[in-house]
Every structure is written in structure tokens, then in C-alpha cells.
Amino acid sequence: MTATRPAAAAALALLVLTGCQADRDAEATGADGTAPLLTERSGPGPAPAQRAPRSAGPQEPRPSAGPAPEAPPEEAVEGYTEALAATGDPDRVREGLALTADPSAARDLLVHQALVAQAWADAGTPLGPGSSEPAGDGHRLCPPSGTGTACVRLTGFTGSDGLVDGLLIDGTDPGPALVAGSGRDDESEGVRASVLTAYQSVVGKDLVVTVGFAVGDDVSLDLAGASYRAEGGTETDAHRAVGRHELDAGETATAAFTFPGAVPGGELLVGGCLEECSALVLLELPVG
């Protein structure tokens, strides 16, 4: 079985946020999406003085607008984006969790980013650091230099009790595309695995799934041979898989798998062998 290709390492630096899309101008802004105001129709009609008077009876109160979302402190936003950019150090990414509300989409995204970084670190090929800097009304988040993947704009930060709980990535809420665990795991020949997170990039539309493994015996995991079975039964091979594939008895590890265009709701299939292939491992993990 083959380990993950080292040449692909840099390309996943901010796959959590960008997918496999080519670079584009992260500073570009789209239409604001607001509808035009409705105005009275012009025409001959009666003069204003001839219009029937409005009823003087009791009027229904107009519904009041809800409270505006709370804006988190700028230092919390800055610390959060810096943690997202620390792709080469999973512990540094996790430090940002102290700046997030629990539960929240902002927290789930950071947990996912930390697990992707952990998978690369477990494989012995940690990613380099990304970068984050203020840009207009938000922050510009970029992967490590030389990856060829896109920078993104983080805006629309919302907060709760001084903590970050939401944001927009290039104008889109990542919350609906995030899965924080499936609540189920699978076991085969003493190898236990569970889906930790899954995220379909709102930019590149790649599905990235992180998995935690714990083994009772020496095992060789075929991470590169993993596949994803969609709800309709169609299987797709992993475009990229990263993590330790040789584990000794009693060890744990994290792996990350990428499936272009896939959506949560299917199953991740991972195989392997115990020592000297004395037994075959087959794990079927629900995603979402």
C-alpha cells in the first residue's frame, strides 16, 4: 500500500475553505442581493384630494425588527482568523477555540481545520503556515505560498458574549456545509474509526472528511484506496488522502480525505490489513 503523495501536501493547506479551485481575486465583491423598493404605480388616477380617506379604526401594530446580530470584538476576530491560518500547527489552530462560542459554525470550522492540520502532522508532512490580514470590512485568508489555491475573504462575523459564532466565506455561510461528527463509528478486526468532521467547501465544493482511528493490533490502512459511496450508491475514489497508514497496536491517528463534488449523507469506505495481512479490515462510516 502506498502513502499519501508528498507533492499534494501543500495543495490542501486551506482546502477546508477553498477546495481545489484555481486562484481568483479574493477582493472582488458581488451584488448586494437587496430587492428594489416598490413604488406607487404612475398613471392618470384620481387626484390626491379625491382619494377615499383611510379608516380611523384601530391599526394592527407593525412587527418590530429583531435585534441586530452582535458583532464580536475585533481582537476576537483577529485571533480567530490567525488561528484558521495556522495550518502547519494543529495546536495553534486549537488555541482559537477559546475565542468561539460553543456550539457555533465558527467553532465547527476551526475544529475541522485543526483536524486537517493534525492529519498532515500525523503523516509526518505538516503543512506550512497560511496568512491572515485585515482587508476592507473583513479579513483576507490565504494558504501557504506556492500552493496555487485561492485566498478567501472572511466577512460578516457575528458573536455572542464577546465570542465569535458565525462568519461568511466569500459571502457564504459555511454552517450548513459543516458536519460535526456523525454520532456513529465502525469497527473491523480490532480497528475502530469514527467520522470527526466533514465540510463541503462553499468555494471549491470539495467534501473533506476527517476520521479518527484507534487500533488494537498492528495495522496497515489503505488510506489512498478510500472511497465515498453517495446516497444513490455511486462510489467515488478519494482525490486525496492524508494521515499515517502504518499504526502499531494501541495507537491512535487522524486522517483526512477529499472527494470533489461530493455532499454529506453518504458513507466513507476505508480498508486495510492486520500485520502480514492476516486479516482484512473494512470500515464503513456514515458522513452526516
Side-chain angles (χ1 to χ4, degrees):
M1 295 167 203
T2 58
T4 307
R5 292 166 287 180
L12 194 64
L14 283 178
L15 188 67
V16 172
L17 303 177
T18 63
C20 291
Q21 255 191 1
D23 263 319
R24 55 186 163 64
D25 185 0
E27 298 298 327
T29 56
D32 62 9
T34 56
L37 295 175
L38 296 177
T39 57
E40 267 196 0
R41 184 178 178 180
S42 60
Q50 296 173 315
R51 295 181 187 272
R54 297 190 179 209
S55 168
Q59 301 294 311
E60 290 291 331
R62 293 183 179 181
S64 58
E70 178 185 330
E74 180 54 34
E75 56 267 27
V77 171
E78 185 173 346
Y80 176 80
T81 59
E82 288 176 353
L84 274 177
T87 48
D89 184 351
D91 290 333
R92 173 67 186 90
V93 179
R94 292 187 187 98
E95 288 176 6
L97 294 174
L99 302 172
T100 63
D102 185 15
S104 69
R107 185 180 184 87
D108 289 345
L109 184 66
L110 200 61
V111 168
H112 183 70
Q113 183 81 319
L115 289 166
V116 171
Q118 187 67 60
W120 284 107
D122 284 357
T125 54
L127 295 168
S131 64
S132 171
E133 59 183 18
D137 60 348
H139 287 254
R140 190 167 186 258
L141 184 67
C142 293
S145 60
T147 65
T149 52
C151 298
V152 293
R153 274 180 62 82
L154 307 181
T155 58
F157 289 94
T158 57
S160 175
D161 297 326
L163 302 173
V164 180
D165 64 10
L167 72 156
L168 302 178
I169 300 173
D170 281 358
T172 302
D173 177 8
L178 281 161
V179 174
S182 64
R184 293 170 53 192
D185 57 13
D186 194 18
E187 187 272 339
S188 175
E189 301 297 337
V191 178
R192 183 166 294 277
S194 59
V195 170
L196 303 175
T197 60
Y199 172 57
Q200 186 191 30
S201 167
V202 297
V203 178
K205 300 304 179 184
D206 291 340
L207 178 66
V208 181
V209 183
T210 65
V211 176
F213 293 96
V215 304
D217 295 298
D218 295 353
V219 66
S220 177
L221 295 172
D222 184 15
L223 302 182
S227 63
Y228 186 74
R229 181 190 295 147
E231 285 187 285
T234 303
E235 283 194 30
T236 304
D237 293 337
H239 172 72
R240 185 174 293 115
V242 60
R244 283 183 59 200
H245 65 282
E246 299 288 345
L247 299 179
D248 295 333
E251 288 189 321
T252 62
T254 304
F257 305 87
T258 304
F259 301 95
V263 298
E267 288 185 316
L268 174 66
L269 310 178
V270 183
C273 280
L274 296 188
E275 190 172 14
E276 298 182 355
C277 249
S278 58
L280 293 178
V281 173
L282 178 59
L283 299 158
E284 301 182 2
L285 300 164
V287 179

